[in-house]
Structures are given as C-alpha cells and as structure tokens.
Amino acid sequence: METNDRFQIVKKCPACGKLSVGNFCIHCGEKLEHERVTLKQFLKTIPEIVLDTGFYIFYTIYELIIHPGQMVKSYFAGNRKKHYKPINFFLFIGGLVAVLFISFHISAPDTKLYEGWVNDQEVAQQLDKINSDYLTGILMLQFPIIAFFTWLFFLRQEHYFGEHLVANAYFIGEVELIRLLLFPIYLLNNNTNVVNTLDLVNAGLILCYYIYAFYDWLYNKKTWSGFFIIVVFVVILYFIVMILTMLLIVPGLYLLNQLISAIF
C-alpha cells in the first residue's frame, strides 16, 4: 500500500506491515524499499561473515522448516531484518558441520571412492581425503552450480541469478542442519558401516527437502504436474552435481592444494 500526501510518501513496511514514512520503518527499523538481489549485491555480503547468532538464526531455521519458499519470497520482498544473512547462514552451518566431522574423524571403514578408478593409488587416497575433509569447500563450489541450474531451468520465473544464490544458500544451510542433527549418531557409529547407511539417509532427506523447498518457492499454484516437474528436476540435478563434484570439484581442490604446496 502506498499513498501520496503533500510532503511524504507513506509506505507499508515489508517486515511488520505497518505504515511508515522515510527510508526506514519507524516501528521496527526495517528498510522500506529494497532493490532486487543481483549477483553484485550478493557478493557484497561475503565480507560480512560475522557470527551474530541468536534469535535471527533460530527464526531463520524455523522459517525454512515451515515454509522455505514463502520465507525466501518474503526476503526478496524486503523482510530482511529478522532473517540471518544467507551467506552467513550457509557458512555458519556448513563450517560447524565441517569442524565437527573433521575433528572427530568421522568416516566409514572403507571410504575409497577414487581408488577404484584412479591408477595412481597415492593420488586416489589424497582425492578421497579431500572428498571427506573439505566438506565446506566442496559445498561452497557446489552451491553456485546448483543456483545456476535452478536459474537456467526456471528462467521464465524471472528471478535474478543473485536471488537463486540467496535461495540456495538458505536451502543448503538448512540441509546441512540435517547432517548436524545426525552427528551424535555418526559419532557413536564412527568407522562402522552404519556411517554409509547414515550417508544414504542424509542424501534421501536432502532430496526430500529440496523438492519441498523448490516446490514451495517456485510454484504459487500447487499442482501435481508442478510437483512432478520439481521431483524430476531435483533428482537429475542431484546426480549432475555429484558427477561434477567427482570429476571437477574434488580434482580441482587437489590441484589447488598441490599448487599451494609447490609455492610455499
């Protein structure tokens, strides 16, 4: 709602819904007008990785559980004061998971993904180690890939690529929370085949959440055909990302590690 008087424009706050004037809401402090999220604006948030945890992160987690699509739509509409920043959220949850799993050396008894098809066993072992230890780094490289494919496939939705980055930062952070919640079970069954089972359970929950989140976000009108499209898209996207991770991301991190070692 927006009305003109002689001197000022009265606007409806996107956060609290009350009427206010000026650039910021006089009731809650939210900015009354936000620009669309572009790639440039998204990148500006990266240096602001400050762990301002508290109400905002728990509120964001709750919103992403109850209605993830509506939450990101609300964020894009300007309701940002109560939400944890997307890149902070993603890095905080992903970083916490990485620290826990690396510190306690969580792994299955035979984690040999690369040893079966790489001739050089030393290289294969290092690739397997990177695949298990560099979780946050791998996620950082995966999430823009996921955002690119969601933007490309749903181009008609007219969301900016930056908005897809924001949505996927939130969604990936939330699915990493599943792994965090499963951590006690991982710890109790470390170096057993139960870890492989937990990885499969985690992968299944990730697929379910992505289907739920993307459907809630990208389809205002809920139909079975729309749901089916999202299911097929998410399953195909999952395998594309896994293949790219095995063939490009992990080997790329290995080469980067070798380059750094050679320089220093």
Side-chain angles (χ1 to χ4, degrees), residues 131-144:
N131 190 47
S132 60
D133 290 353
Y134 288 29
L135 179 62
T136 301
I138 290 172
L139 285 173
M140 277 295 294
L141 295 172
Q142 282 180 343
F143 106 86

Side-chain angles (χ1 to χ4, degrees), residues 88-136:
N88 294 23
F89 181 75
F90 163 69
L91 288 179
F92 176 68
I93 302 295
L96 185 57
V97 170
V99 168
L100 288 172
F101 276 72
I102 293 173
S103 298
F104 289 91
H105 306 286
I106 305 297
S107 63
D110 294 311
T111 309
K112 297 180 180 178
L113 182 64
Y114 287 92
E115 287 190 36
W117 55 280
V118 176
N119 293 329
D120 190 324
Q121 291 302 298
E122 183 179 349
V123 172
Q125 290 172 5
Q126 292 186 45
L127 288 171
D128 282 326
K129 181 175 175 56
I130 289 172
N131 190 47
S132 60
D133 290 353
Y134 288 29
L135 179 62
T136 301

Side-chain angles (χ1 to χ4, degrees), residues 181-193:
L181 294 174
L182 291 173
F183 174 73
I185 306 176
Y186 272 101
L187 185 60
L188 290 173
N189 297 279
N190 194 17
N191 293 313
T192 70
N193 289 322

Side-chain angles (χ1 to χ4, degrees), residues 90 138-154 161 164-169 171-173 175 206 210 214 217-218 233-234 236-242 244-245 249:
F90 163 69
I138 290 172
L139 285 173
M140 277 295 294
L141 295 172
Q142 282 180 343
F143 106 86
I145 294 173
I146 297 171
F148 172 76
F149 279 106
T150 57
W151 169 77
L152 186 65
F153 191 82
F154 295 100
F161 179 61
H164 279 271
L165 284 171
V166 166
N168 280 282
F171 296 162
I172 294 177
V175 297
I206 288 173
Y210 261 97
F214 281 132
W217 173 35
L218 296 168
F233 170 74
V234 168
I236 293 174
L237 179 62
Y238 180 84
F239 285 107
I240 289 174
V241 172
M242 290 301 103
L244 290 176
T245 299
I249 294 178

Side-chain angles (χ1 to χ4, degrees), residues 30-44:
E30 177 64 79
K31 192 173 182 180
L32 292 176
E33 287 188 359
H34 285 279
E35 296 178 357
R36 294 281 297 277
V37 182
T38 63
L39 176 60
K40 182 179 179 181
Q41 289 173 322
F42 177 80
L43 292 175
K44 283 182 179 179

